[in-house]
Structures are given as structure tokens and as C-alpha cells.
Amino acid sequence: MRPSLITIMTSVMAISAVAWSPATSQDYNVTVPDADATQAACPLTNGMRVCTNSQNNTGTINAPNYVSHYIADGLVSMRNYATGNRMDGGNVQVDATLNSAQSNSGNIEADAHLHSQAVAGETGKSVGTGVYMDTQAVANSGSFSAIQGELTTTINQTSTADHVYADSEIEAPNGAIYSSGEVQTTAIANHQEFGATEARIVSNTTQTSNTDVRARTTTSVQYSPSPNLYASNAYNNYFQANGDDRGSQLHQVTQTTSAATRTEAYSDASGTNLWDVAATSNAVANTVNVGNTGGSMVVRADQTNANDVVLADARILATQYGTATATASSTGNLLIAGNNDKYVEIDNNQLNSGGVQASAEFIGRDGYDAYLETDATGNSAMGYACGACEPNMSVNNNQVNNGDVTATNTVNITGTGRSVVSVARATGNTATYYTSGNP
């Protein structure tokens, strides 16, 4: 009998962490404590390890994180994680079956707020050198890895909560950020991922959401002479799988979002003098993202989006600016499936009946370069196989868009600027399938 290791860790959690470091430190990592979890070996049944996971969260999960100071000359790092149900596990050198059901009806909220106590008339008071924030709100989360074994799974994730909200805010209209930093805000209703290393995975995953999902990043700072990124990502249903070394994969994924709900991502950055600032927003109702390094890959996806709207909005307001970049991308249904080996089979069915909107805005007075880009798409699919591997690629692609799709850019420069580059794309259905490399 082969040696085996197989565990499941489950938890319901809300975690906040804050760290400061001296100005000379280059280490901005924060150690986040593990939530209370149980580890249970999967019993041996008819020669197969059988793992069963059942989780139901009905309570509100809230992870607030509030920091207020006058001057912080060193690095400031804030991390917030609010999760309704979480399951992590894996099988090593043993075959396994995983049956997992997660249901969430409680609201999930992660909120990070950094406040500068500098008052009007004061200048140059450091908010942090630099500032890093990571805020995540997830209703259902599952992760499982197979290493040198076969994994067969049935996954059901359901979110009926009113909302999943993630918010990050820097409130420093009289403060300054002198070094590069980054704010990432992510909200997800259902998230499932798999990993394969010298293994085979056969999965059947169903994700259903009747939940508003919103990620919002806002910042107001007086002076920022360094590159800073402010990003928001909102996903209702998200499925991801990766094979990194001869991993064979077969995935059946069904994703559904309901009407009268929304998937929204907002990024808003404003300041008096911003040298290099970027605001990005990404909103997708249903996502399937599968990648493989070696071995066969089969992906069968059925995605149905009926959200009232999938909205991505990015805005920058700067009195003086060097480079300002506002990017917004919104998609009803998204499929990405790529294999760096020769065999790929894709059966893709996408139906979008909800509105899809992407908007980017820049308002400035005097400066140099402004870049705006928006992409709004009802249904999007991309697949590829290794062209140098004598590829065997088959695709069945069916896309129907019945929703209104809008991409809008707005630029208003009241003084003197050097350049403006603005691109807006609105597409009902797009599909790209190709082989890469030289046959």
C-alpha cells in the first residue's frame, strides 16, 4: 500500500491584522493567525479515501480594521479576511473522493479604514511609507490539491446572503504616502480551486449565488510622489484549477447568478499631487479559469448570469498629476482554459441576460499623462493548446447575450496636460481559441 496523507481543514472565521514597521525595514509581510480548525483524516471505504465536508453559515461574519494616526514614517500594512465557510485539504500519494457542500446565508463584511489625523493647512504628514492593504470577503471558499494521486470530487456551493461586501479606505486628505504601495480589495460569493501535481482530477462543481457582491477601494491623499495601485475585484462565482506537472484534469462546472442581484467593483483615488497613480476595477459574475502544464485537459462549462448589473468603475481625481491610469473591466460570463500540452477539449455554454457596465473617469487640472481603458463584455471565452506538441484540440462554443453592454470613458482636464489615451470596448460575445508555438 502506498503511503498516504489526506486531511480536511474547515473553519468559519473573521481575521484582522495590522502591522507597522520602522522606516528602514523592507519587510511588509504580516503573519495572519490561523482560524480555529479541525483536521480529520478521510476514512478508507472500499479501497478509496472518502472525504465528506458539510458547512452551513447563517450568521453575519464581520472583520473590521480601523487605524487612525497623526504620522507614520514606516510601513503600514493592514489585512482583513471575512469568510463564511472555508474548506482546505489535499491528498498525497493516495486516491481520494471528495464530497463538499457549503451553504451561506449570513452577510459577509470586511472593512479596512486608515485615517490620517493631519488637519487642513498641514502638509507632508506621512500616512505610511508605504501603505499596503489587503481586504477580502468570501461567503464560501474551497481549496483542494492532489499530489501523485487521483481525486474525484462533487462540489456544491450556495450563497443566499443579502450581501458580501469588502471595503478598503485611506482617508488622508491632508496626508502623504512617500513610498510605493498597493491596496487590493476582493469580494466573492463562491470560490473553489483545485491543484494537481502528477495527479488526475475529475470534478463536478455547482456554484449558485443569489447575493450582492461588492468590492470598493477609496483613497484620498494630499501628496503621493511614488507609484501606488488601488484595485477592486468582485466575483460572484469563481472556479479555478491548475496542473503544474503532468496533471490530467476533467472539470464539469455549472455556475448560476440570479436576477435582482449585483456584482460591483469600485476604485476611487483622489489627491492634490499624485505622481504615479493607478485605479483598477474588475467585476465578473461567473468565472472558470483552468490551466494545465502537462497531460490532458477537458473543461465543460455552463454559465448563466442574470445579475441586474455587473459593474466596474474606476475614477481618479488629481489637481496635479504625473501619470494617471484608470482601468475598468466587467464581464457577465468568463471562461479561460489553457493547456501547455497537446490535448484540450472545451464544451462552453454561456448565457448572459444581465446588464454589463464598465466606466473609467479622470478629472485633473495640470499634469502629464492620462490613460483610460474600459472593457465590458457579455460573454467571453478563450482556450489554447500547445502548438509545438501536435495539438489535438476540440471546441464546442455556444454564447448568447441578451443584456445591455456599455463601456464609457470620461476625461476632463481643466488646465494643461501632455497626453491622453482613452480606449473603450463593449462586446456582446467574444471567443478566441488557438494553438501556440510552431507545429
Side-chain angles (χ1 to χ4, degrees), residues 92-116:
V92 180
Q93 295 183 336
V94 66
D95 296 338
T97 296
L98 169 66
N99 299 305
S100 178
Q102 295 175 315
S103 178
N104 180 79
S105 58
N107 291 333
I108 311 297
E109 301 166 354
D111 184 12
H113 189 168
L114 176 60
H115 173 252
S116 169

Side-chain angles (χ1 to χ4, degrees), residues 364-389:
R365 191 185 71 186
D366 297 309
Y368 290 89
D369 305 315
Y371 302 95
L372 288 82
E373 184 173 4
T374 55
D375 280 283
T377 308
N379 298 303
S380 177
M382 184 186 72
Y384 63 89
C386 170
C389 308

Side-chain angles (χ1 to χ4, degrees), residues 169-236:
E169 181 178 7
I170 300 175
E171 184 186 5
N174 302 298
I177 300 176
Y178 288 101
S179 294
S180 298
E182 183 174 322
V183 178
Q184 290 283 348
T185 308
T186 303
I188 308 174
N190 296 310
H191 176 269
Q192 178 63 47
E193 65 177 276
F194 292 104
T197 300
E198 299 181 32
R200 174 171 171 77
I201 296 180
V202 178
S203 77
N204 189 336
T205 300
T206 302
Q207 296 176 318
T208 305
S209 176
N210 187 27
T211 298
D212 284 340
V213 175
R214 186 193 70 204
R216 181 170 58 192
T217 298
T218 58
T219 182
S220 175
V221 63
Q222 182 185 69
Y223 179 55
S224 179
S226 57
N228 283 273
L229 170 65
Y230 305 100
S232 296
N233 305 282
Y235 307 98
N236 235 297

Side-chain angles (χ1 to χ4, degrees), residues 4-8 40-42 49-51 90-92 94-97 144:
S4 65
L5 172 65
I6 184 161
T7 60
I8 290 182
C42 303
R49 295 287 180 179
V50 178
C51 310
N91 59 300
V92 180
V94 66
D95 296 338
T97 296
F144 214 90

Side-chain angles (χ1 to χ4, degrees), residues 66-72 113-120 122 124-128 169-176 220-222:
Y66 183 82
V67 173
S68 178
H69 58 65
Y70 182 58
I71 296 177
H113 189 168
L114 176 60
H115 173 252
S116 169
Q117 298 172 7
V119 298
E122 296 182 307
K125 305 303 181 184
S126 175
V127 181
E169 181 178 7
I170 300 175
E171 184 186 5
N174 302 298
S220 175
V221 63
Q222 182 185 69

